Amino acid sequence: SILNGGFGLTINNTGTTTFSAAIGGAAPLASLSTDIGGTTLMNGGTVTTIGLQNYNDTVVLGTGTNLTTSNSPVTFGAGINGAQTLTVNAGTGAVTFGATIGRTTPLSAVTATGGSFSLSSMRTTGPVTLTATTGSITDNLNGTSGTPTPNITAPIATLNAATGIGRVVGDQLDFLVTAVDALEAATASGPILVGNLQALRLGTITAHNGPIGIVNLGAGSMTIGGSVASVRHGVALATS
């Protein structure tokens, strides 16, 4: 059945919780949280809240799913699986993907808008589009991991951020992509710093007030299919 109402919902279940219909479509919930352990099966298509959405257990997409908040955070503490589309609309709320997305079953596509993004590892069979409206898109995995792991594995990745994409940790780029046939990226302010683990084709890469550094760390070539421009800083493209 459909679940509506301006109150917070907390689910504590170590088994499987199934959302079989839209949540908050007529009257958004105040917030939604699930506990650690168990699985949340998304069969209802939409979840709408005013406040945060916090998924601490594994999420399985049974259908294309749209998660919406009113400028509040969306956090995934465990993995997300399912050959479906995931759309996140968090406005200026931070979006955190704290564990691998698509580890067992890659998602078909991800489109997400939030204030900023903290990303572990994401695998899709279709395009990934991330838009950070007020902050940056950064890694939460490779800064503490001894083995570099791609943050995005997808045929097409489009990244837009207000204050930067990627960063340097020590002497290494920690935001990594792989198997990307076309990478598009833009920042309003701040750098674009991306490492790549396979052959890479660049589309339009634009940093309006920050440097661009893209390094191919693996085998394969780097092809430029669009313009690569930093308005006020330098551009460095390199292959290992």
Side-chain angles (χ1 to χ4, degrees):
S1 60
I2 297 174
L3 180 63
N4 293 298
F7 296 91
L9 174 64
T10 299
I11 298 172
N12 296 310
N13 180 17
T14 57
T16 299
T17 301
T18 302
F19 297 152
S20 58
I23 296 177
L29 275 61
S31 62
L32 173 65
S33 296
T34 67
D35 65 343
I36 297 173
T39 301
T40 296
L41 179 58
M42 296 279 195
N43 285 343
T46 62
V47 177
T48 305
T49 61
I50 296 171
L52 64 81
Q53 294 183 32
N54 192 4
Y55 301 94
N56 286 307
D57 56 0
T58 299
V59 174
V60 177
L61 304 181
T63 188
T65 299
N66 191 319
L67 309 178
T68 301
T69 72
S70 296
N71 298 318
S72 295
V74 176
T75 301
F76 298 93
I80 309 171
N81 292 292
Q84 305 289 339
T85 60
L86 174 65
T87 302
V88 179
N89 296 294
T92 58
V95 178
T96 301
F97 294 109
T100 300
I101 301 168
R103 180 190 295 275
T104 58
T105 305
L107 277 60
S108 57
V110 174
T111 302
T113 300
S116 61
F117 285 85
S118 177
L119 187 64
S120 177
S121 182
M122 177 182 296
R123 295 174 61 234
T124 68
T125 57
V128 170
T129 302
L130 304 180
T131 302
T133 56
T134 61
S136 60
I137 299 173
T138 56
D139 157 88
N140 61 29
L141 177 68
N142 289 310
T144 57
S145 174
T147 302
T149 301
N151 299 102
I152 297 176
T153 302
I156 301 172
T158 303
L159 310 176
N160 298 284
T163 62
I165 299 169
R167 58 189 174 179
V168 176
V169 175
D171 60 353
Q172 301 291 326
L173 298 176
D174 76 336
F175 194 87
L176 306 175
V177 300
T178 191
V180 175
D181 295 327
L183 173 66
E184 306 259 348
T187 59
S189 176
I192 298 174
L193 302 172
V194 178
N196 176 58
L197 300 178
Q198 291 184 13
L200 176 66
R201 181 182 184 276
L202 300 179
T204 300
I205 311 291
T206 305
H208 288 282
N209 190 16
I212 296 174
I214 299 175
V215 179
N216 193 336
L217 303 171
S221 61
M222 184 185 300
T223 303
I224 300 175
S227 65
V228 179
S230 174
V231 176
R232 295 185 177 89
H233 296 267
V235 175
L237 307 177
T239 58
S240 60

